[in-house]
Amino acid sequence: MIGDSGWDEVVKRLSDRVASPNALPYVSQLARNRPDPFYLLISTMISLRTKDDVTESATERLWRRAPSPQQLATLMPGTIAAAIYPAGFYRTKAQNIRETARIVQQQHGGLTPRTREALLRLPGVGRKTANLVLGLAFGIPAICVDTHVHRIANRAGWIQTATPAASEEALVQTVPRRHWIMLNEILVAYGQALCTPQSPFCSRCVIADYCVRRGVTRSR
């Protein structure tokens, strides 16, 4: 088990490895460059099962059409779908984005909710999105678990879980609270660059001494 100071070392090494802003996921860059909670929420909804470059261009196209919850709520779903295409599931996302904008405008006075419970009541917003918005937009500690976080945490042997939901619960019990917010962005960047799903670059791993390589049968 990694001790408290050990987590500081793990996070430091990972942070140093992905120190370049361009190495971070697009939504993390967005949170630094444009700290607008609603903008971040909608961009995160677009980003699900979508590559970063597509998310970035789709977000910018949509925001040129409707740069506020009030304006976004008035767009037809087809208009939103055309703006965010070719994001994954763009038609479904368009419906959810429009309804989310309407709820934020009518029920929250145009302000993005800052509780997990309220965020989860928005259509198309799951726990991963809610936690990401809480952390990056409001600085509220939460662990956002996506496929990279789930894979790396289990591969390293920090936890042993079968689903991202179980991984979140386990990581909350394992990782010091001060590291919760940044855990997603550094593991996503690391997972894309080195700790890949197939044949990870174990020979170049900066946290090899904190990893048991569970399930790794071939590496580089």
Side-chain angles (χ1 to χ4, degrees):
M1 178 177 289
I2 301 176
D4 196 70
S5 61
W7 279 111
D8 290 342
E9 182 64 21
V10 166
V11 170
K12 180 181 184 305
R13 292 186 197 180
L14 290 170
S15 299
D16 289 346
R17 178 59 180 77
V18 297
S20 169
N22 292 331
L24 295 176
Y26 169 67
V27 290
S28 295
Q29 298 179 41
L30 189 63
R32 288 164 167 74
N33 298 329
R34 182 171 176 168
D36 179 322
F38 187 71
Y39 193 88
L40 181 67
L41 169 63
I42 298 303
S43 185
T44 303
M45 292 173 69
I46 294 171
S47 75
L48 301 175
R49 298 192 180 183
T50 301
K51 293 182 178 180
D52 269 7
D53 57 341
V54 174
T55 299
E56 181 176 5
S57 58
T59 300
E60 291 176 353
R61 283 193 302 273
L62 182 59
W63 236 248
R64 284 196 293 268
R65 296 295 303 267
S68 71
Q70 183 178 19
Q71 292 168 299
L72 189 54
T74 65
L75 293 184
M76 295 298 293
T79 301
I80 297 174
I84 67 174
Y85 176 84
F89 305 98
Y90 63 95
R91 290 190 180 91
T92 300
K93 288 178 181 177
Q95 296 278 359
N96 289 336
I97 287 170
R98 183 177 188 269
E99 183 63 8
T100 288
R102 186 192 67 78
I103 293 172
V104 169
Q105 180 62 31
Q106 294 183 3
Q107 298 183 18
H108 300 280
L111 300 177
T112 303
R114 54 187 303 148
T115 68
R116 183 180 291 110
E117 293 72 23
L119 286 167
L120 289 174
R121 285 195 290 269
L122 299 173
V125 175
R127 199 168 180 91
K128 181 175 73 171
T129 296
N131 284 350
L132 194 69
V133 171
L134 288 175
L136 295 184
F138 299 115
I140 298 172
I143 297 180
C144 172
V145 177
D146 68 353
T147 182
H148 295 287
V149 176
H150 175 65
R151 179 182 72 254
I152 295 173
N154 277 276
R155 176 179 284 169
W158 304 338
I159 59 176
Q160 189 167 0
T161 57
T163 66
S167 291
E168 181 193 338
E169 184 177 345
L171 286 169
V172 163
Q173 300 300 319
T174 303
V175 180
R177 188 179 178 87
R178 62 184 177 276
H179 296 313
W180 287 6
I181 293 175
M182 68 187 308
L183 192 67
N184 176 267
E185 62 183 32
I186 58 178
L187 288 184
V188 169
Y190 201 68
Q192 291 173 339
L194 289 174
C195 199
T196 52
Q198 303 297 324
S199 189
F201 292 89
C202 294
S203 62
R204 293 157 51 188
C205 182
V206 299
I207 56 168
D209 49 334
Y210 290 94
C211 178
V212 302
R213 300 176 65 186
R214 181 187 291 139
V216 177
T217 57
R218 184 166 64 93
S219 65
R220 289 171 278 183

